[in-house]
Amino acid sequence: MKGIIHVFFDLDHTLWDYETNSRETLTDLAHQFDIAQQVSVEKFIAVYEKVNEKLWHKFNNNQIDREHIHKYRFPQVLRKLKIHVNHKPEDMTHFFIENCSSKSGLMPHALETLHYLHQKYPMAIITNGFPEAQRPKMKASGLDAFFPHVVMSETIGYRKPDLQIFEYAMGLLGAKPHSSVMIGDNPKTDVRGAEAAGMKAIFYNPTGNRKSITEWEIQSLNELMRIL
């Protein structure tokens, strides 16, 4: 990919291993809040992931706000599982955010790839995640060493795929759209959003199960060392 001067990354599911980190946290949560005594941990996690995915889809489409996610995520999970626990949902939410955000797991080859790119390009994170979660994730995982700028939708008031969040991020680095590239796992918020802002985009599709949507696609982060 020629002509690239600035590189932008999504955080969750792209660099920070949300699936592994959240499953470890949900396992602890199931035991801490007496859920594992009523259903299997595997079933709890499976239901949680389905509920969470639907809520985040609505969030990314500006249909709900973050308070809705925090308030209704665990009640929906418990209702679908048809179980009752003697704990407040907000306590479960606090436990999940605090403990999950302290996890350091990264996607395969993330560190070696970032060490390579960091020597060549100014970089920034663009995320729709919440500040109280994203900042601890960056510190715990060591990602903060590579990214002096973390652009969060909750801070600036625009969510991916809104082109204004990409324009804001580029402005921080003094970047131009034609010489900037966005790397992320979400076809709509990362790829289509960046392209709408005039940037190039690389679709991170680690399972290979998602439909190809752009010219540049990778299944492993270390492929970026060949492309960039």
Side-chain angles (χ1 to χ4, degrees), residues 84-203:
H84 174 77
V85 296
N86 294 317
H87 299 281
K88 296 178 180 179
E90 54 264 37
D91 292 336
M92 299 170 71
T93 294
H94 178 76
F95 179 95
F96 179 80
I97 292 174
E98 183 176 359
N99 287 274
C100 192
S101 300
S102 68
K103 301 288 185 182
S104 60
L106 297 175
M107 299 299 288
H109 306 293
L111 281 180
E112 64 190 86
T113 301
L114 291 175
H115 276 292
Y116 168 82
L117 294 175
H118 188 248
Q119 299 178 48
K120 299 183 64 176
Y121 304 97
M123 301 192 297
I125 293 282
I126 309 177
T127 174
N128 281 354
F130 307 137
E132 67 269 24
Q134 304 305 67
R135 290 191 181 98
K137 290 176 186 177
M138 296 289 296
K139 184 176 181 179
S141 63
L143 290 175
D144 56 351
F146 303 100
F147 297 98
H149 299 289
V150 181
V151 178
M152 292 177 275
S153 60
E154 288 287 302
T155 302
I156 69 166
Y158 300 102
R159 302 174 192 163
K160 296 180 293 184
D162 193 315
L163 64 86
Q164 293 186 76
I165 192 171
F166 295 100
E167 291 175 344
Y168 181 91
M170 286 187 284
L172 285 178
L173 269 61
K176 302 297 183 183
H178 68 275
S179 57
S180 298
V181 62
M182 176 71 189
I183 301 146
D185 73 296
N186 190 298
K188 180 179 179 180
T189 59
D190 296 320
V191 177
R192 295 304 185 213
E195 291 177 339
M199 304 167 71
K200 294 180 174 64
I202 298 175
F203 178 37

